[in-house]
Amino acid sequence: MMLRFKRKDGTQLEFEIGERPITIGRSPEADLVILDEKVSRFHCGIRLWDGDFVLKDLKSRNGTYVNGQRVETAKLHAGDRIRIGSCVFTVETEPGKGTETILQELAEEMAEGKGYSTMLKEIVADASAPAPAAEEPVEVVDELAPPPAPPPPHKARSPDTVIAPARRVLKVRVAPPRKGQGK
């Protein structure tokens, strides 16, 4: 399952959710970091439970919303919209199309008789469509978090100790509201 959101330049970014539970919040230790003053340090979590992805609010101050409703826990479905602070994510079941797939689809459309001008008009119409007002522009920094620090030298590690590998972290910086908007 994927969490998808748009950057302020219009490009879409994705965060993959797998079998490992993830946390979302303002803390640098969260898997998906949202740098927004309305987001709690550990705001919510998502985990796979009996074949379904379940979102759980972690007693956040401003709440977690799924499809406009404040939730404590919610089973996630494709198309759901999750609002955390000022950031809105869309739940998707498949990752976005890659460049090769898009080019192949365009070639197939042209082979079926669709003209270059028609495709350009469709692209321009899609690009000029206004974004939903509820979404705030975001800036995302994708980075590899360092692995946890090894134990101090005075504590010997047992042979069974497993050091977790580095994890992928997405930091989402939400733009502050412009004057005349929001609060």
Side-chain angles (χ1 to χ4, degrees):
M1 186 163 281
M2 310 292 288
L3 289 182
R4 186 169 291 151
F5 45 96
K6 284 187 180 180
R7 293 174 63 171
K8 56 185 163 186
D9 67 0
T11 58
Q12 288 192 344
L13 294 165
E14 300 169 340
F15 185 86
E16 187 173 358
I17 306 168
E19 292 184 16
R20 187 177 75 78
I22 67 161
T23 55
I24 302 172
R26 200 177 65 237
S27 170
E29 287 83 34
D31 297 301
L32 180 53
V33 180
I34 302 175
L35 303 176
D36 178 352
E37 62 188 31
K38 297 177 188 172
V39 175
S40 299
R41 289 182 321 111
F42 289 100
H43 198 94
C44 65
I46 300 175
R47 70 175 307 154
L48 189 59
W49 187 270
D50 286 337
D52 294 314
F53 285 96
V54 178
L55 176 140
K56 179 171 178 45
D57 184 81
L58 300 175
K59 301 188 188 317
S60 65
R61 177 185 234 169
N62 292 311
T64 304
Y65 294 79
V66 176
N67 300 324
Q69 299 292 317
R70 188 171 182 159
V71 297
E72 294 291 323
T73 60
K75 188 163 75 166
L76 297 176
H77 301 56
D80 283 348
R81 294 171 55 86
I82 302 168
R83 184 170 60 83
I84 302 166
S86 300
C87 195
V88 178
F89 298 91
T90 304
V91 177
E92 301 289 338
T93 54
E94 296 179 13
K97 296 177 185 175
T99 307
E100 293 296 321
T101 304
I102 292 170
L103 289 174
Q104 182 178 357
E105 287 176 358
L106 286 174
E108 289 170 3
E109 287 180 15
M110 289 180 88
E112 292 173 1
K114 191 177 229 182
Y116 181 71
S117 297
T118 303
M119 284 192 263
L120 282 177
K121 286 177 186 174
E122 290 173 354
I123 291 168
V124 169
D126 286 346
S128 63
E135 293 188 32
E136 289 289 329
V138 296
E139 175 190 348
V140 178
V141 180
D142 186 7
E143 62 182 46
L144 199 59
H154 66 277
K155 286 188 176 180
R157 232 184 318 179
S158 76
D160 298 331
T161 302
V162 176
I163 296 183
R167 59 189 169 85
R168 194 145 215 76
V169 175
L170 282 179
K171 292 185 179 180
V172 180
R173 214 175 260 116
V174 177
R178 292 182 289 271
K179 292 186 180 183
Q181 290 183 336
K183 292 183 181 178

